[in-house]
Amino acid sequence: MARKRDLSIFRGEYPESFRILSQAIQAARGKHFLGKNILGGPFSFDIELRRGAGAYICGEETALFNSIEGFRGEPRNKPPFPTQSGLFRRPTIVNNVETLVNIPEIILKGGAAYARVGTPQSTDTACFAFPDMWRGRERTRFAFGVTLRQLIEMAGGVGGTGKLRAVLLGGAAGSFVSPQELDTPLTFEGVRAIGASLGSGVVMLFDDSVDLKDILARIARFFRHESCGQCVPCRVGTIRQEEILQRLANRAPNGSVQTEIALLKEAAQAMRDASICGLGQTAPAAILSAIERWSLYS
Ligand code: SF4
């Protein structure tokens, strides 16, 4: 019985991941765990690695399909959803690495034992990444429910001046969290209660030597640069967002600071409501979360 191939794709800047996975696949083939008639039985299954060209947006599942098919890496309108019409217009399942690493544990321990880890509403573990901090390990898994404070202690503290100014939880599309919110349990429901999200699991710490206005400008620049430009709310919204932050940072608002922040929120609403994909929908999230927590421009 032949099964569909699992097509995995990587951004161009992850050559090490590509090398490691290529070796692992080769080793699995050598043991007849992959390929035709696995271990001499009727089951056939294979894995093919595909490398992306490096666009951030190609991590969006439908842009990924376009990229694999040789088209521009632009997200598709949904519906149809990938399970109805995905890669080469065939029903497709997309799993990220974090999902796949859970499978051996579920098989080995059983579903019930697996579900007991974490909290009732956020079962299991989550991968959290402290860029440059986790003693050489980029990502580490913890049971849902660990607090930010515990994570930071386990990672060896804040670093820099040692005085925490802010945490960016979930990466550029996530939310800023203040030092007063460090005891929030990292669960879906816990972070939702403080208006944040776990996002990609990236945890970035900023000590009090950092000017958060610079960080917001970088986030805005990132989204303006990575927008594929296909839909107006994101294409124009990310540009307007960057411009407003520049004017605020230069103390040259159009009207007052309040007018500019109201405009920023209006643009954010349009991006959230009308962008085709998650990039545009989440591009204002971290910026607004910082503005809600701190008076950065007054
Ligand atoms: Fe492209 Fe942005 Fe629209 Fe997504 S939201 S399709 S990245 S323009």
Side-chain angles (χ1 to χ4, degrees):
M1 176 175 50
R3 286 280 169 91
K4 276 197 200 100
R5 283 178 165 188
D6 176 13
L7 294 165
S8 305
I9 195 160
F10 298 92
R11 291 188 72 187
E13 66 265 40
Y14 295 119
E16 185 64 1
S17 308
F18 188 83
R19 189 187 62 76
I20 292 168
L21 280 168
S22 299
Q23 279 179 357
I25 290 168
Q26 227 174 340
R29 269 211 195 96
K31 290 183 181 293
H32 304 288
F33 293 159
L34 282 176
K36 281 196 176 148
N37 305 112
I38 289 170
L39 296 176
F43 185 71
S44 299
F45 180 79
D46 215 336
I47 296 175
E48 180 183 332
L49 291 185
R50 293 281 191 104
R51 303 190 70 171
Y56 176 78
I57 195 57
C58 287
E60 197 277 345
E61 56 192 5
T62 57
L64 188 66
F65 300 151
N66 279 347
S67 175
I68 291 173
E69 291 178 21
F71 298 111
R72 277 177 75 120
E74 290 178 340
R76 299 175 184 170
N77 271 309
K78 298 182 216 98
F81 292 97
T83 47
Q84 301 159 311
S85 173
L87 187 63
F88 299 110
R89 308 292 157 174
R90 307 288 299 273
T92 305
I93 294 174
V94 180
N95 285 308
N96 69 20
V97 175
E98 190 175 359
T99 302
L100 296 176
V101 295
N102 288 312
I103 292 173
E105 226 164 306
I106 295 171
I107 292 171
L108 292 172
K109 292 184 181 169
Y114 176 84
R116 277 196 293 274
V117 179
T119 68
Q121 285 168 289
S122 302
T123 52
D124 182 40
T125 56
C127 288
F128 293 103
F130 276 67
D132 304 326
M133 281 193 68
W134 211 289
R135 299 182 187 95
R137 291 156 70 190
E138 283 204 349
R139 281 189 172 258
T140 306
R141 291 174 77 202
F142 290 95
F144 275 115
V146 65
T147 65
L148 260 179
R149 191 182 302 283
Q150 290 167 328
L151 269 191
I152 293 168
E153 279 165 13
M154 285 185 273
V158 175
T161 66
K163 207 164 166 212
L164 188 65
R165 168 82 164 107
V167 180
L168 179 55
L169 181 59
S175 319
F176 279 94
V177 171
S178 73
Q180 289 73 42
E181 295 167 306
L182 291 189
D183 292 315
T184 304
L186 295 177
T187 58
F188 294 116
E189 62 279 14
V191 295
R192 203 179 301 126
I194 60 164
S197 69
L198 293 175
S200 60
V202 167
V203 182
M204 292 183 80
L205 308 180
F206 299 99
D207 69 23
D208 63 354
S209 69
V210 173
D211 186 345
L212 287 184
K213 295 194 287 298
D214 291 343
I215 306 299
L216 299 197
R218 280 174 59 183
I219 291 173
R221 191 161 62 243
F222 169 77
F223 281 114
R224 189 257 303 145
H225 179 73
E226 296 290 351
S227 167
C228 80
Q230 185 185 190
C231 64
V232 175
C234 172
R235 184 178 68 233
V236 179
T238 51
I239 294 171
R240 294 291 171 264
Q241 177 169 264
E242 189 185 16
E243 288 171 349
I244 295 168
L245 291 180
Q246 267 169 6
R247 289 198 296 269
L248 287 170
N250 293 339
R251 296 183 173 277
N254 270 349
S256 65
V257 170
Q258 287 70 29
T259 319
E260 291 283 44
I261 288 177
L263 190 59
L264 198 61
K265 288 183 178 172
E266 204 181 313
Q269 189 71 47
M271 282 192 266
R272 271 197 302 263
D273 289 349
S275 293
I276 288 179
C277 82
L279 187 146
Q281 290 156 11
T282 57
I287 291 164
L288 289 189
S289 71
I291 285 172
E292 276 157 16
R293 281 169 172 77
W294 299 285
S295 302
L296 297 173
Y297 300 100
S298 52

